[in-house]
Amino acid sequence: MKQHFAAKITTLLQQAPFVGHLSRQKFVGQFILGLIKSRNVQFGEVAQHLNDAAKPASNETRIQDFFREVDLNYVLLARLLLSLLPAQGKLRLCLDRTEWDFGQCQVNILLVTVGTGEVHVPLYWHLLDNRSGNSNAADRIAVLEKCVALLGKDRIGLVVGDREFVGHAWFKWLKDNGLNFVMRLPKHHCLTHADGRRQAVADLGLVPGQVRRFAHVQVDGVWGQVWVKAVAADAFVFLFATAGLNHLEQLYAKRWTIEQCFQNLKGRGFNL
């Protein structure tokens, strides 16, 4: 059974050869199975499941040699991951930032996942050169440009992000590129109505559980739709979008798939 799955993975790798040489493609197939069986990314743990015919120490040396010598093509890797998703239909991009501690080094990562329904895989990421700082519009646009180049605009049905991903340049870029989005906003952002009147969500007079919808308002200098729900005293779910008002709450809820991805990578699966 193990050899059967390794062969299938090798065949898949040949369709998107992000590593050359058949021997290395076979190794990657074995390594992926080792990741799944060990539920870990530490080389010493994966080595226990890499090749039963070799000693674990030899397997670990082989893993070390591969990652030291091979220059991986991450664009082809992204295409390989995309081949696991449906070939037709719109895909959803979720954008978020996370941190990993590597020894005493704090790694700040801006990540985009892609998928449909409940299935999402990492597509592209960028290591931010600040310590725990937020991304800026240039960071986000650069990452999304890579995703657009991989997918094409027509395949992207929605871009979803949390309260960090705000600002005029960012919203304008999404809208100018025809990418429908739903972003949650901090409560201090104001609405600007068609008559020029500015209004804070705290001044809408909502009681907990009450919802207000605005079909055509401006936020951060960009026109779109707004959906606001009061969840407690002075606490709101404040969504800004171009995806249509009817299902904004349900569309934004799909952002949770990237949180699940982080949980699986960090603790519930690969213990990265």
Side-chain angles (χ1 to χ4, degrees):
M1 183 65 73
K2 179 178 178 181
Q3 292 178 341
H4 171 71
F5 280 115
K8 287 183 74 68
I9 294 172
T10 301
T11 300
L12 186 61
L13 290 170
Q14 289 171 334
Q15 297 171 6
F18 75 102
V19 291
H21 305 301
L22 180 60
S23 61
R24 285 177 171 172
Q25 291 167 0
K26 289 180 177 179
F27 165 81
V28 172
Q30 293 175 327
F31 185 76
I32 290 171
L33 289 178
L35 287 173
I36 295 170
K37 295 185 72 173
S38 66
R39 296 172 63 84
N40 208 303
V41 296
Q42 295 180 10
F43 290 173
E45 296 295 327
V46 179
Q48 303 292 327
H49 305 276
L50 187 70
N51 181 1
D52 296 336
K55 294 181 179 179
S58 298
N59 285 335
E60 186 170 358
T61 298
R62 188 181 179 196
I63 295 171
Q64 292 169 342
D65 289 344
F66 175 85
F67 283 99
R68 181 172 57 249
E69 297 169 1
V70 174
D71 185 17
L72 295 175
N73 187 324
Y74 285 98
V75 173
L76 286 178
L77 176 58
R79 290 176 181 161
L80 176 64
L81 291 170
L82 287 172
S83 71
L84 303 176
L85 298 173
Q88 303 295 326
K90 298 287 188 179
L91 297 173
R92 181 176 67 252
L93 300 181
C94 292
L95 188 71
D96 206 354
R97 188 175 57 86
T98 189
E99 296 169 7
W100 265 280
D101 290 331
F102 185 71
Q104 295 184 347
C105 177
Q106 194 170 53
V107 184
N108 194 12
I109 303 169
L110 179 64
L111 175 73
V112 178
T113 61
V114 62
T116 181
E118 302 302 319
V119 179
H120 262 240
V121 295
L123 178 64
Y124 201 82
W125 59 90
H126 174 65
L127 302 183
L128 299 172
D129 59 356
N130 55 51
R131 187 177 177 86
S132 301
N134 291 345
S135 64
N136 57 39
D139 295 328
R140 300 168 215 147
I141 291 170
V143 169
L144 261 291
E145 284 177 335
K146 295 288 187 181
C147 297
V148 169
L150 283 164
L151 293 167
K153 292 180 184 178
D154 292 342
R155 289 241 40 209
I156 301 172
L158 187 68
V159 181
V160 186
D162 209 353
R163 282 170 284 196
E164 176 180 325
F165 306 108
V166 298
H168 173 78
W170 167 238
F171 291 150
K172 186 176 185 300
W173 183 87
L174 289 170
K175 194 167 183 181
D176 288 349
N177 282 273
L179 299 175
N180 283 330
F181 63 86
V182 180
M183 300 287 160
R184 185 173 179 180
L185 303 184
K187 65 181 181 181
H188 65 267
H189 284 241
C190 291
L191 317 178
T192 301
H193 298 274
D195 60 5
R197 177 172 51 92
R198 286 171 56 84
Q199 189 174 29
V201 293
D203 297 331
L204 294 175
L206 300 179
V207 298
Q210 190 175 5
V211 172
R212 285 285 301 276
R213 297 174 175 85
F214 300 89
H216 187 62
V217 290
Q218 201 175 63
V219 175
D220 288 349
V222 175
W223 292 99
Q225 303 116 23
V226 162
W227 183 97
V228 184
K229 181 178 181 178
V231 294
D234 201 33
F236 306 90
V237 177
F238 177 12
L239 305 180
F240 181 55
T242 58
L245 276 174
N246 292 336
H247 307 289
L248 286 189
E249 183 179 25
Q250 295 93 323
L251 292 175
Y252 176 72
K254 298 298 184 182
R255 196 197 69 82
W256 187 246
T257 53
I258 196 169
E259 298 290 353
Q260 292 174 317
C261 178
F262 289 147
Q263 291 168 5
N264 291 335
L265 289 173
K266 288 183 176 182
R268 288 200 309 219
F270 290 114
N271 300 319
L272 187 60

